[in-house]
Each structure stands twice: as C-alpha cells, then as structure tokens.
C-alpha cells in the first residue's frame, strides 16, 4: 500500500508542469540577477502596472517612476508619502465599490471571505467591505494566531456549523479564509496559497520581507492599491475554473498540424532573454514554448492567466509589465510583453523575458511570429478554431453524461466540455464546481486517499477515478445507473484517446 | 496509548502515539467578568494540577475563539479548533456553560542520531470532529443522567455545589473515556436491539406488566438481553444514555461472576439461593447480609415539567437484565427488595433461558455462520436502532473493531458527507487498500458496508450490497 499512498497523497503543489527536483536546481541561478532590489511593479497604479508602451518615451517615464517609488519605499515615512496617498486615491475609487456595513447580515452571509493581514495585524486585503472597517477584526485574527504560536503550536482552523475559518501563516503575511461552502480545509488553504502567490507575484517575496523587516507596521496597501481587482478576480476564478482545482490548464481544441505550425512559428521567434512564450485564446492555451530546462509551474501560469484576463488594458496596445513567478523564483521579476494579436481577437501573446530593457526585442519577436504565422496560413486555421473554443458533451455520445473533467497527469493539461444547460447559470456552475471540489478533496485526502468515488444523489450522480496517469471526474443525470457509469468511463477514455491530438498539446517545443 | 510501530528494519524505532485527552474543562464566562477574577469562571479543570495562570489562559483562548466566530455566525457557535498539535471541542449545553475537551493529535516520534531530541510528527488529519464532538455531548448527557442540569445544581446550592458535583462526577468519568477507540458508533449513540420472535417478545411484555402491576412503586421498566435492548418504557433520549451507561460501564463491571461459574468464590450469594440466578447489580450485593444497604443510584430523566428523579434498580439473571425505576421520593426498604427478588428472580431466570433457546434455534435456521465477505454498520435515526458487525463485543475499556482504523475513518468521512445534505444519497468508494466502502442514506436510515472483494468492480459491489440489503434489511427501502 505504501507505494500507492505515495502517488495518491502527492500534494497539489507537487503537480507541476516539471519535475520538482529539476526546478529546485534552477532556482539557484535566478533568471533575473540584479533585478531583485529596487525594482517593483507598478502596483501603485493600475495604468502604471500595465504600461501601454506606444513609444519609447512611455517606457522611460515608467522606469523613472519606478525608481522614484523604490526610493520612497526605502524610506516609507519620507516626504513622498502624502503624494502617494493622493495618487492611490484615484484608483481605489474607480476600481471597487466596497462600501459595505461590516456588521450587517449581508456582509456576514457572503459565501467566502478572504482576509490578508501583516504579522503586525495590519489589514492588507479584504474581499468584502473596507480594510479600515475591519481593522479590529483582523487584529483579533492576528491575536489568535500569535496566542497559539506562543504555545509553540500553529492554529489551523475553527469550525462552526456551516461555517469555517482557515488560517494560513506565510511570513510576513497571514491569510484568513472564512467559508460557508462545504469545501475541505485543504481546498480552502489551497485557495489562500493562490492569494499569497498573487501578492508575491506583484512584489516578490524578497521585497515583501525587506519591507516588513524595515518597518513591521508598514501599511502594505500603499503598494498594492489598485491591484486588489487581481485578487478579487483570482478568487472568482477559484470558484469557477476547474484548472485551478486540478492544477492544470486546458487547451484550445486545434488540429495538431495547425498547432504544430503555430508552435514552430513561435519557436522560431526567439530572443536571447526570452524564457517563455505563451499564446492564449481567452483562458485556453494554444501553445507554450519554453527555454530548454526551464519549466513553468501551473500556479505561475494561472497567475499570468489571471493577470491577462483581469485587465482590458492590454487590448489597447503592447503591455510591458514586471511579474514575479513565485513558483519559479520568489525573489526576482520577469518582464512580460503582453499583447493581443489583433485588437478584437481572443488571441493573446505573452512573451516573458528576464531583461527589463527587452521591450523592443519582445515586440520584434511578436512581429516575427506574426509574419511567420500568416505565411504558413496556420493563422487562418487558428482563427477558424477560435470560433468553437469548446465542445458540447454530446460529441462524446454518452446519453446520461452531463459534464466531465479529464486531467492528464504527466502533461498537466485537462479537457472538459462546455457546461450543459442544467449548469449554465453562474450559481449552478459554482454548485457543480463545488461538487467536483468535494470529490477532489476526498480522492486526495492527505492520509486516506481513495482510488475511486461514486456518489448517487437527488440532483446528479458523480464518479471520480484517479490512477497514476490521469484523473477523471464525471457528472451524470441522476437517473443514470451504475452500469451505465462504468460503461461511460470506458467509452469516454476511448473518445479522449481518439481526440487527444486535438484537445492536448502533445508535442511541446522548447527554445 | 503507546504503540511501537513495526518499522524497525532500519534499526530506528518509531514510536506511535494514539490520540489522548490533554485537558477537559468547564467554564462560565459570566462568573468572573472583571479582570483579576478570571479564575472564578472555571468550574472544573482536568488535569487539576495545571498551574492557575495556564488554566486562565486556556479558558481565555476558548472565549476568544467563541467570540471571534460570532463575528461571522452569530447564531452558530464554534464547535472545534484545529491546531497542529491538538484539537479542541467546544460545547455549550446550557446557556453560558461551556464544556471544552482538548485532544492531542496522534503523533509519531522519530528518534534522531547523535543524541538530538526526537522529531515529532503530528498526524493532523486523523481525528474526526463529528466523533469527538459527540463524545463531549455524551459527557454532558451522562452528567445530566446522574446529576440533572448545571442550572439545577446552581439553584440548589450555588456555584459551590455545582463545582462539587462536577468534580465528583468528572474525576471518575474522564478516566473511562477511551479516546483512541472512539468512532462512528459514538456519533450515532444508538441502541442495539435484540432480535426476537413474537411469542418470546409477548412473554417479556407480560412479565413487565405483571411486575409493574404487583410492585406498583415501579414507574418505568427496561428489559435487556445480552447487552441489547428488548423493551423500554423510557423516552428515547433517556434510554439512549441509560443504555450507554449500562452497556459500557455497569454490565462490563459485573460480567465476571457469570463467567466465573457457580462454584467460584466470586458469586457467594448463589450459595444461599438455588431457586434462581437473579441478583442486584445496583443496590445490595447480598440480600442475606444483615448489614446490607438499600441505596440505589439516582438518575434524572426528562419529564413534562423539567426532570424526574428516580432510583435505578438493575437486576440481572444470566444474560437477561431488567431495570426498574422508582420515584426518588420513595425510600426503598429491605422488604421491597426481598419482594422484588422473590418475584423477579425466578421469572427472569426462566425468561433468560427461554430467550437463549429461541436465539439458538433462530441461529440454526439462518444457517451455519461463515465469515461473510462484508461487514456493516446500520443506524436508524428514528428509533436509534444500531447494528454493527464491525465491532466485537464492547468491554469497559476498549471497543474492538475488526477492520483497519483507516477504513473506520472513511466511514466517518462518508457520514460527514451525508450529514451535510438533507437528501437521500449513496456513496461508493474504493480505498487505496482496494477495499470497497459503501454508504447509503435513505430517509432516516444509514447503512455502511465494507467489502473485502478487491477485484470487484462498481457493478458487482452494487449487486453484493443489494443482496445484503435483501437478506439483512428485507423490509427497508434503500435508494438504488
């Protein structure tokens, strides 16, 4: 049993797109030497973070601004502070409407609260309401954490009927989730980890540590103001996107010859400091080329997807933004060139470079890619494929099957049909996702993992199956029998095998 | 409890510790609201040797957790706190009275080389909240059975009396908690019923009626055979806790004389009484003894106007036991006990052998017993009926199960799943050890089956469970 348990209990963090040990080795030589200190994202402003680099002047002014801000940050109590607040004010007003009475029933009954605070108990983020109004609540949270810590113990969670509070201490931050969902503690922790990485991706851990070492009492909101919508969006994704649950991404269905053509065009557009190039169609991966020996962690990829999907500003031109990929290296920034292939297109190209001065090189890469792409008429077939980015479950031809998730463990990719009418509404979609999350946490129980799980209820029947090679989650009509469920698994696996070169990226390329 | 794990191949010996009780306390935050008076809040604290400030600190943490949770759910109080090293369970049985049980997570101690202190690894996912939450509630019910509510003690003699009662009861009761063997059955807290044919059942009923008629002091009667219930005149919830007391505490303490045989010195009273095997399990051990005291334990059961205080007489002949409850306002005399002994003793002895005979006949009809391919637990929320083929006979100290603890925990996980949604459900899982576990919830009934057919598929497992339902529960409908 031991061997089996080992595969079954592998934590979600380990399911990366690359072997762990290899990645650790690469962490040693950071891809961004010299960028660790004094560089920070344009977190203070939404527009500054995603520079619309139309001209060279735009770029340099951005750099100056950064320099200024880093100076200010080293001396947070300096005279610049007043100026800061004024700057930030503009953005907080338009970015979110958070005014909510935090003692009201409406506020309490939100399905999931997320709070981020510093170890000094200072509010950094709240999903609902304002941080100011919640500062005493967060103070209590921190008090609980430190009280238990003082006993050389670690607080994990509090449980009440229908409500649980989960704590995650990631020095120098503390994250707290309050949930009315049926999700397991582990699922909630996973979500908090994502939020933690989201914040690290904006600042780097080195900088985060540096800030709080200098001033324990620092109000991190000053640096993060204007970026809260990224966290909001990420939380929304966590409720809807099976990819975050499965630690995987999904691909745009595309004939393999077309995908290979697109991939090789992208591969040909290489540059010295280019580490990853990612072509997306909405939230779906078209292709991903990486530098040989460099691997992208699925969490990092989801953070990139969240960044791109959360902002419309990239549509207006070529964006150039620093981003830390925390699973790759928590201490340094990459620089991402983000642009859509055409203004109205869903196709978004992300070129990740190690050099902050690389904007024009990246821009040039994009041009070369576009030229090649149109020459090989792959662009046309790609655009065709965009018209049907999903498929209905009826294509599989199993009458009682409503929906499924299939993840290939080795590639870290998954496929899933569109939601059928029964689950079309947002609420129903979240309910189905909740059911999948339950199955997922049962199967991946830290000490009692399961091989398979079948649940027959009043609204649907569910079947989940984990092997060393794949994970499969199926949702059937409540009238489906067990025999039909067993038959469906075989039929579905055959269908996926038949369609695999369209649904997955079978031959990923490297530079 | 300490177990030495068999992993000794490397020469390094790992020590494995099962969950254990770290502390148990009862407090009322309204009793010491001012600073410096915190100690007054504490009504009971085990272990009592703990330093005062630490007690106050630990109670303070519980208060903080409860208060903090109210920020988010003002109506539903906190039930448990999970930490790396332990779990704390909170229960507010009466307004402002909080009972807290702290259980240490199981842990593995790995010795280090070079004289370094051993590494301790806490197993944080082993304890099931539902199980230990139920244990705390059970603690309260047991206290209430013998002492009535906290509120009543307060009325009768203020905080001092309450503290005294708590001290007296929990000091002994906590020693009987065997936290390492708690499982799903504690969640159910059910009653095992003795299956009986109609004739024998009527015989018992007429016996009960006759005794109640002849000894009119008797208000309620309960009849058990083989630690299983046959007849009860009490309300379900009262019977449930009384049953728990009888089967886990009273009966196991008195089982030795029966096993010892007639000539054993363990049963001296038999010598003078060859007419029957009846004897008192509570009250006088030997009626012939001129020094005998006729004091019986008092219990409290629910009544229309609060509670009712009763003498509990438990009288046993062979495997049959009858509980007679008499209003506490009546004083019980030697004469009454002799009357009861001479009336009940011979009849109960006869009934016991009747039931035994019936039972063996039925067993013979149902065919020779062979080790079945499955084991199951059944519970009915409506009549609290429970049946388990997983648990061996319960003794005072341990509850033995015949399956791996991990499988028992999977049953517990499925039970939590069922508790979340109020609808009929069926869950079939395959564990990493290839055992199949099936859970069915239908109406108010729950059935859990463990199948040892490792190569079976979902359809075969389903067929097997269907067969089981047909043979064991032929009149019960389960969602397919």
């Amino acid at each position: 049993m031991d061997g089996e348990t080992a595969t079954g209990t592998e934590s979600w963090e380990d399911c990366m797109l690359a072997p762990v040990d290899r990645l650790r080795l690469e962490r040693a030589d950071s891809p961004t030497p010299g960028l660790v200190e004094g560089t920070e994202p344009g977190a203070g402003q939404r527009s500054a973070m995603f520079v619309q680099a139309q001209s060279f002047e735009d770029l340099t002014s951005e750099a100056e601004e950064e320099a200024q801000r880093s100076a200010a940050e080293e001396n947070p109590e300096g005279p610049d502070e007043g100026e800061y607040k004024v700057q930030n004010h503009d953005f907080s007003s338009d970015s979110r409407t958070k005014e909510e009475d935090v003692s009201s029933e409406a506020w309490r009954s939100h399905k999931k609260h997320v709070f981020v605070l510093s170890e000094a108990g200072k509010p950094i983020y709240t999903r609902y309401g304002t941080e100011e109004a919640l500062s005493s609540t967060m103070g209590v949270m921190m008090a609980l954490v430190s009280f238990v810590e003082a006993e050389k113990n670690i607080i994990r969670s509090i449980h009440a009927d229908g409500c649980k509070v989960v704590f995650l201490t990631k020095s120098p931050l503390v994250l707290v989730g309050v949930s009315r969902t049926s999700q397991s503690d582990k699922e909630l922790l996973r979500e908090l980890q994502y939020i933690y990485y989201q914040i690290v991706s904006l600042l780097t851990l080195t900088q985060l540590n540096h800030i709080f070492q200098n001033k324990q009492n620092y109000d991190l909101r000053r640096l993060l103001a204007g970026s809260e919508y990224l966290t909001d969006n990420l939380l929304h994704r966590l409720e809807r996107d099976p990819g975050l649950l499965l630690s995987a991404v999904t691909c745009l269905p595309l004939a393999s010859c077309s995908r290979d053509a697109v991939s090789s065009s992208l591969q040909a557009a290489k540059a010295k400091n280019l580490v990853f190039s990612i072509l997306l169609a909405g939230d779906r991966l078209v292709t991903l080329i990486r530098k040989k020996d460099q691997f992208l962690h699925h969490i990092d990829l989801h953070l990139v997807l969240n960044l791109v999907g959360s902002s419309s500003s990239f549509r207006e031109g070529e964006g150039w933004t620093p981003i830390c990929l925390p699973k790759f290296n928590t201490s340094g920034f990459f620089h991402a060139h983000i642009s859509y292939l055409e203004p109205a297109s869903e196709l978004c190209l992300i070129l990740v470079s190690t050099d902050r001065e690389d904007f024009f090189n990246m821009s040039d890469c994009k041009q070369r890619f576009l030229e090649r792409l149109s020459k090989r008429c792959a662009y046309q077939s790609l655009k065709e494929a965009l018209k049907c980015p999903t498929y209905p479950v009826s294509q599989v031809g199993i009458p009682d099957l409503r929906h499924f998730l299939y993840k290939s463990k080795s590639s870290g990719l998954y496929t899933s049909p569109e939601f059928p009418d029964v689950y079309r509404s947002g609420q129903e979609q979240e309910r189905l996702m909740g059911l999948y999350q339950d199955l997922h946490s049962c199967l991946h129980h830290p000490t009692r993992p399961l091989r398979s799980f079948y649940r027959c209820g009043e609204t649907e029947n569910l079947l989940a199956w984990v092997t060393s090679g794949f994970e499969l989650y199926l949702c059937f009509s409540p009238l489906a029998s067990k025999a039909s469920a067993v038959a469906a698994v075989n039929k579905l696996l055959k269908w996926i095998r038949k369609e695999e070169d369209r649904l997955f990226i079978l031959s990923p390329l490297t530079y | 409890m300490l177990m030495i794990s068999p992993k000794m191949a490397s020469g390094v010996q790992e020590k494995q510790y099962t969950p254990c009780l770290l502390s148990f306390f009862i407090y009322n935050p309204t009793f010491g609201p001012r600073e410096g008076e915190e100690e007054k809040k504490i009504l009971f604290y085990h272990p009592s040797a703990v330093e005062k400030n630490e007690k106050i600190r630990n109670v303070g943490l519980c208060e903080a957790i409860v208060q903090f949770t109210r920020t988010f759910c003002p109506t539903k109080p906190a039930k448990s706190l999970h930490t790396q090293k332990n779990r704390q369970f909170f229960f507010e049985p009466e307004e402002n009275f909080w009972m807290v049980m702290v259980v240490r997570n199981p842990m593995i101690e790995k010795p280090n080389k070079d004289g370094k202190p051993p590494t301790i690894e806490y197993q944080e996912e082993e304890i099931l909240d539902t199980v230990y939450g139920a244990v705390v509630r059970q603690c309260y019910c047991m206290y209430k059975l013998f002492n009535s509510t906290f509120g009543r003690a307060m009325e009768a003699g203020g905080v001092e009396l309450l503290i005294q009662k708590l001290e007296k009861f929990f000091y002994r009761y906590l020693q009987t908690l065997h936290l390492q063997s708690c499982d799903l059955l504690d969640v159910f807290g059910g009653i095992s019923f003795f299956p009986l044919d109609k004739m024998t059942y009527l015989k018992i009923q007429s016996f009960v009626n006759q005794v109640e008629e002849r000894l009119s002091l008797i208000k309620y009667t309960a009849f058990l055979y083989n630690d299983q219930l046959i007849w009860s005149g009490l309300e379900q919830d009262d019977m449930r806790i009384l049953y728990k007391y009888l089967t886990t505490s009273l009966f196991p303490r008195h089982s030795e004389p029966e096993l010892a045989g007639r000539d054993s010195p363990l049963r001296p009273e038999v010598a003078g009484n060859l007419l029957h095997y009846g004897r008192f399990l509570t009250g006088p051990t030997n009626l012939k003894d001129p020094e005998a005291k006729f004091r019986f334990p008092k219990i409290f059961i629910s009544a229309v106007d609060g509670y009712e205080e009763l003498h509990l007489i438990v009288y046993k002949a062979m495997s049959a036991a009858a509980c007679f409850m008499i209003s506490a306002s009546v004083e019980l005399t030697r004469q009454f006990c002799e009357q009861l002994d001479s009336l009940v003793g011979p009849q109960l002895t006869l009934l016991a052998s009747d039931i035994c005979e019936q039972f063996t006949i039925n067993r013979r009809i149902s065919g020779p017993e062979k080790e079945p391919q499955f084991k199951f637990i059944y519970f009915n929320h409506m009549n609290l009926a429970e049946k388990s083929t997983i648990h061996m006979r319960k003794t005072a100290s341990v509850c033995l199960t015949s399956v791996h603890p991990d499988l028992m925990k999977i049953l517990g996980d499925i039970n939590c799943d069922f508790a979340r949604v109020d609808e009929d459900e069926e869950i079939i899982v395959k564990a990493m050890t290839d055992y199949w576990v099936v859970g069915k919830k239908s109406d108010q009934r729950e059935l859990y089956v463990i199948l040892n057919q490792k190569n079976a598929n979902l359809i075969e497992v389903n067929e097997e469970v269907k067969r089981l339902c047909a043979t064991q529960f032929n009149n019960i409908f389960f969602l397919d």
Side-chain angles (χ1 to χ4, degrees):
Chain A
M1 182 186 159
D2 279 345
E4 294 292 352
T5 323
T7 54
T9 50
E10 88 185 7
S11 85
W12 60 282
E13 266 193 272
D14 297 338
C15 317
M16 41 169 56
L17 302 173
V20 188
D21 47 340
R22 294 183 71 177
L23 206 99
R24 289 231 174 87
L25 281 176
E26 272 120 32
R27 287 188 123 179
D29 52 341
S30 151
T32 54
L35 285 186
V36 174
E37 291 291 322
T39 320
E40 68 157 52
Q45 290 179 25
R46 198 159 168 178
S47 56
M49 216 169 117
F50 313 124
V51 183
Q52 270 74 64
Q54 311 287 4
S55 67
F56 185 65
E57 279 75 24
D58 283 348
L59 259 185
T60 46
S61 67
E62 149 78 356
E64 274 165 25
E65 219 175 275
E66 270 188 23
Q68 255 179 25
R69 197 159 312 133
S70 62
E73 184 239 295
E74 272 162 24
N75 181 13
E77 282 174 311
D80 289 357
E81 201 169 352
E83 204 182 316
Y84 252 130
K85 279 182 184 153
V86 179
Q87 262 186 358
N88 295 345
H89 183 72
D90 295 345
F91 294 94
S92 53
S93 61
D94 78 277
S95 59
R96 298 207 297 175
T97 46
K98 305 213 317 182
E99 294 308 323
E100 228 182 303
D101 180 4
V102 299
S103 60
S104 70
E105 189 52 42
W107 180 81
R108 271 200 292 266
S109 51
H110 282 298
K111 228 169 64 186
K112 193 179 290 161
H113 285 275
V114 172
F115 307 93
V116 183
L117 38 145
S118 73
E119 281 177 323
K122 275 228 172 189
I124 294 171
Y125 170 84
T126 173
R127 190 178 187 185
Y128 303 107
T130 60
E131 288 83 10
E132 291 79 10
L134 288 162
S135 63
S136 70
T137 305
M138 296 208 211
V140 174
M141 291 172 178
M142 195 55 229
L144 292 176
V145 170
S146 7
F147 189 95
V148 176
E149 228 167 46
E151 315 264 291
K152 298 200 172 53
N153 201 347
I154 307 165
I155 192 168
R156 302 288 194 211
S157 56
I158 301 171
H159 297 245
D161 268 332
C163 177
K164 64 178 84 170
V165 186
V166 179
F167 296 83
L168 176 67
T169 318
K170 281 271 188 186
S171 183
L173 304 183
V174 174
L175 299 97
V176 182
V178 179
S179 162
R180 292 177 189 281
T181 64
S182 65
Q183 279 170 300
S184 66
D185 291 16
K186 225 170 165 259
E187 291 293 328
L188 292 169
L189 279 179
R190 185 177 59 82
E191 301 191 356
L192 292 182
Q193 299 247 24
Y194 261 112
I195 303 304
Y196 167 75
Y197 286 126
Q198 169 62 49
I199 292 170
V200 171
S201 84
L202 293 169
L203 295 172
T204 75
L205 183 59
T206 310
Q207 183 158 283
L208 208 54
N209 283 329
H210 183 73
I211 291 168
F212 286 105
Q213 268 156 21
N214 277 352
K215 197 182 173 214
Q216 233 195 346
N217 227 352
Y218 188 77
D219 185 356
L220 198 67
R221 281 181 303 159
R222 285 191 295 199
L223 283 179
L224 294 175
S227 70
E228 295 96 337
Y229 72 101
L230 284 175
T231 310
D232 292 346
N233 265 321
L234 184 59
L235 283 166
H236 185 72
R237 275 166 186 266
L238 283 163
E239 276 156 18
R240 297 280 181 88
D241 186 346
L244 291 126
L245 171 71
L246 296 173
S247 308
V249 282
T250 190
C251 307
L252 177 77
L254 184 64
S256 62
C257 56
S258 307
R259 196 184 312 269
D260 289 347
V262 175
S263 300
S264 58
S265 304
L266 193 54
Q267 185 195 29
K270 61 175 114 185
K272 193 173 116 236
N273 297 317
L274 182 58
V275 192
F276 301 112
S277 4
I278 306 158
L279 184 62
L280 298 177
D283 277 341
R284 288 159 185 278
L285 198 57
V286 178
T287 184
L288 186 154
I289 321 286
R290 57 178 176 80
K291 221 179 189 109
K292 212 173 174 186
D293 298 335
Q294 307 288 1
F295 294 93
L296 192 57
H297 191 282
H298 67 88
I299 289 183
D300 289 340
L301 184 52
H302 277 295
L303 292 176
V304 171
L305 283 171
N306 184 47
L307 174 67
V308 173
S310 301
S311 176
S312 56
S313 56
F314 296 116
R315 291 203 168 270
E316 290 155 25
E318 294 172 61
W320 182 241
T321 178
I323 181 171
C324 166
L325 299 176
K327 293 305 275 187
F328 192 98
N329 180 354
T330 53
S331 60
F333 282 115
F334 282 105
H335 294 265
H337 179 280
I338 301 172
S339 64
Y340 284 83
L341 296 193
E342 285 171 44
S345 167
E346 278 291 283
L347 292 168
C348 181
L349 181 66
I350 300 145
L351 301 167
V352 181
S353 162
T354 53
D355 185 354
R356 99 193 224 199
E357 307 296 339
D358 234 6
F359 174 80
F360 293 105
N361 286 336
M362 291 303 111
S363 191
D364 177 49
C365 282
K366 181 194 172 185
Q367 285 315 316
R368 279 187 285 146
F369 165 60
L370 277 177
E371 275 160 31
R372 272 181 182 271
L373 193 62
S374 35
K375 254 188 230 155
R376 299 180 62 172
C377 73
Y379 199 19
Q380 206 44 48
S381 52
L382 180 57
K383 282 199 229 169
E384 270 316 300
L386 274 181
K387 288 178 188 158
C388 41
T390 60
Y391 54 93
V393 71
S394 59
Q395 260 187 30
V396 187
I398 301 170
D400 286 328
L401 186 65
R402 284 180 174 177
H403 192 253
F404 69 86
L405 307 174
Y406 169 88
K407 176 193 168 184
S408 146
K409 279 189 178 174
S410 60
S411 67
L413 298 170
Y414 80 94
T415 185
S416 172
E418 59 202 29
F419 285 101
D421 286 340
V422 218
Y423 302 109
R424 194 74 20 114
S425 78
Q427 207 187 347
E428 277 299 295
Q429 241 176 71
E430 275 177 29
R431 195 178 66 81
L432 180 62
M433 271 305 293
L435 294 170
Y436 283 142
Q437 283 174 347
D438 287 351
L439 293 178
H440 185 269
S441 59
C442 285
L443 290 167
H444 296 85
H445 192 284
T447 56
R448 302 183 286 279
L450 303 171
R451 285 188 198 282
S452 67
F453 192 109
Y454 180 83
R455 169 190 274 144
C456 167
E458 285 175 5
T459 41
E460 53 269 297
N461 293 348
L462 299 159
L463 175 61
W465 186 26
V466 174
T467 70
S468 54
F470 64 82
E471 289 180 29
L472 183 57
Y473 303 82
L474 306 108
C475 171
F476 296 96
S477 112
L479 300 172
S481 69
K482 294 176 189 89
S484 70
V486 172
V489 169
N490 294 324
K491 191 162 178 192
L492 178 61
L493 286 175
K494 271 187 200 141
W495 183 83
I496 293 170
R497 169 66 75 195
K498 189 168 74 85
E499 300 285 324
E500 66 178 346
D501 51 0
R502 202 171 61 86
L503 299 176
F504 294 95
I505 302 173
L506 295 181
S507 43
L509 300 176
T510 57
Y511 290 122
Chain B
M1 197 166 54
L2 168 69
M3 292 189 297
I4 305 292
S5 91
K7 278 188 200 164
M8 290 166 67
S10 54
V12 193
Q13 203 176 44
E14 282 183 4
K15 284 185 198 162
Q16 195 158 7
Y17 296 87
T18 55
C20 70
L21 183 69
L22 278 185
S23 58
F24 185 101
F25 46 93
I26 300 169
Y27 69 91
N28 186 324
T30 62
F31 286 2
R34 273 187 292 269
E35 220 168 293
E37 290 185 345
E38 288 90 351
E39 202 186 359
K40 290 188 182 166
K41 294 176 186 173
I42 307 170
L43 301 169
F44 175 78
Y45 202 105
H46 164 90
S48 54
V50 169
E51 197 253 325
K52 181 180 119 186
N53 284 326
E54 197 188 324
K55 288 182 186 171
I56 291 173
R57 248 204 333 274
N58 291 339
V59 167
L61 174 65
C62 297
E63 282 188 78
I65 295 284
V66 168
Q67 201 54 43
F68 169 69
T69 312
R70 286 207 177 110
T71 324
F72 298 97
C73 1
T75 52
K76 304 246 172 79
K79 288 173 99 178
S80 71
L81 167 69
H82 297 198
T83 68
Q84 180 201 25
K85 294 183 179 173
N86 60 49
R87 289 218 186 162
Q88 315 204 358
F89 299 91
F90 312 109
F91 179 47
E92 187 189 20
E94 295 172 39
E95 203 185 348
N96 287 324
F97 286 97
W98 286 87
M99 296 175 83
V100 182
M101 179 169 82
V102 186
V103 182
R104 197 202 55 214
N105 281 323
M107 55 185 202
I108 300 172
E109 198 182 272
K110 291 176 181 162
N112 280 324
K113 283 172 204 149
D114 316 326
K116 272 185 269 176
T119 323
I120 290 174
E121 208 174 85
Y122 290 92
Q123 297 172 298
E124 298 186 42
E125 305 285 340
E126 293 304 307
I127 289 180
L128 291 176
D129 273 11
T130 44
V131 171
Y132 293 90
V135 170
V136 180
R137 287 196 300 279
Q138 224 168 51
C139 285
Y140 174 72
C141 291
M142 202 61 93
Y143 171 85
K144 205 174 74 167
L145 179 69
F146 292 104
N147 297 281
S148 186
T149 58
F150 298 157
R152 183 179 172 268
M154 290 290 296
E155 279 166 30
V159 188
E160 291 75 25
L161 181 69
L162 177 61
I163 289 177
Q164 216 177 13
K165 277 178 172 275
L166 292 173
E167 198 68 48
K168 195 173 156 218
F169 177 81
F170 282 108
Y171 173 72
R172 276 192 33 206
Y173 185 72
L174 291 180
Q175 296 174 6
T176 68
L177 285 183
H178 296 280
L179 294 185
Q180 74 279 2
S181 55
C182 292
D183 62 29
L184 188 57
L185 285 192
D186 292 282
V187 178
F188 295 145
I191 297 171
S192 174
F193 287 93
F194 190 81
L196 210 56
D197 64 304
K198 285 196 188 85
M199 257 327 279
T200 324
Y201 184 76
L202 284 174
K203 270 189 202 166
I204 290 164
Q205 209 170 17
S206 92
F207 161 78
V208 170
N209 288 338
Q210 195 198 345
V211 175
E212 285 186 353
E213 161 104 33
R214 295 271 296 278
L215 300 169
S216 56
L217 282 179
I218 294 173
K219 276 195 95 165
Y220 308 100
T221 308
F223 193 103
L224 294 92
Y225 185 84
N226 231 353
D227 290 8
Q228 290 175 301
L229 188 66
I230 294 179
W231 163 265
S232 156
L234 289 178
E235 290 289 329
Q236 235 171 48
D237 275 335
D238 292 324
M239 191 59 228
R240 163 191 253 177
I241 194 71
L242 179 62
Y243 178 80
K244 173 86 188 166
Y245 165 68
L246 294 173
T247 54
T248 61
S249 175
L250 187 70
F251 292 162
R253 269 189 279 137
H254 289 86
S255 61
E256 294 82 9
E258 266 130 39
L259 300 173
R262 295 192 63 162
D263 303 325
S264 154
L266 271 170
R267 42 186 316 178
E269 80 275 29
V270 174
N273 191 354
L274 291 168
L275 295 170
H276 61 80
Y277 291 103
R279 66 198 174 101
F280 288 94
L281 293 195
T282 60
T285 42
N286 186 357
L287 280 176
K288 300 279 182 295
D289 182 0
E291 300 288 302
K293 295 246 168 41
F294 297 92
R295 276 214 307 267
F296 292 88
K298 294 205 179 88
I299 60 166
F300 293 81
I301 63 161
S302 53
V304 193
D305 51 346
Y307 56 87
E308 197 176 351
E309 192 174 357
L310 302 164
H311 293 289
L312 174 66
I313 301 174
V314 183
Y315 191 89
K316 201 172 179 191
M318 299 196 284
S319 292
C323 305
F324 303 108
M325 282 148 275
I326 293 167
S327 172
S329 54
V330 180
E331 197 169 328
L332 294 177
T333 59
R334 173 185 292 271
Q335 191 207 347
F336 176 81
C337 292
E338 282 172 354
Q339 210 183 339
L340 190 138
D341 185 56
S342 61
L343 173 72
V344 174
Q347 287 203 54
L348 196 60
T349 309
L350 208 63
L351 271 176
S353 60
D354 268 11
I355 300 170
C356 181
E357 200 174 310
Q358 199 56 50
F359 182 58
T360 11
I361 292 172
N362 285 347
R363 255 227 303 245
R364 215 173 300 135
I365 293 169
S366 68
E369 251 184 290
K370 58 166 193 262
E371 181 71 5
Q373 286 289 301
F374 52 78
K375 296 209 153 82
F376 69 87
I377 293 180
Y378 166 83
F379 181 67
N380 183 342
H381 288 268
M382 277 179 295
N383 62 1
L384 306 182
E386 101 188 349
K387 188 169 181 180
S388 167
T389 62
I390 289 172
H391 295 78
M392 329 277 214
R393 199 183 175 80
K394 273 199 175 186
T395 67
S397 56
V398 277
C399 175
L400 294 167
T401 59
S402 54
V403 301
H404 192 274
D406 273 355
L407 284 173
M408 281 311 291
K409 281 173 194 147
I410 291 176
L411 295 189
D413 292 337
I414 295 176
N415 168 258
C416 293
D417 242 42
F418 284 162
R420 274 210 310 258
V421 215
D422 189 27
E423 54 180 58
D424 289 358
E425 260 188 3
E426 177 176 13
I427 289 176
I428 303 177
V429 307
K430 192 180 196 195
M432 278 297 164
T433 47
D434 282 333
Y435 277 96
W436 286 89
V437 180
V438 181
K440 275 167 178 272
K441 180 178 141 193
S442 187
D443 208 0
Q444 297 284 312
R445 300 180 180 88
E446 291 178 35
L447 173 69
Y448 301 85
V449 189
I450 297 173
L451 292 113
N452 182 16
Q453 281 156 309
K454 304 197 173 184
N455 295 320
N457 65 26
L458 189 66
I459 302 166
E460 289 156 359
V461 166
N462 190 46
E463 290 303 316
E464 193 63 40
V465 174
K466 262 190 192 164
R467 263 200 297 281
L468 165 74
C469 288
T471 54
Q472 300 272 346
F473 310 100
N474 47 12
N475 49 359
I476 296 169
F477 171 77
F478 275 112
L479 182 78
D480 186 26

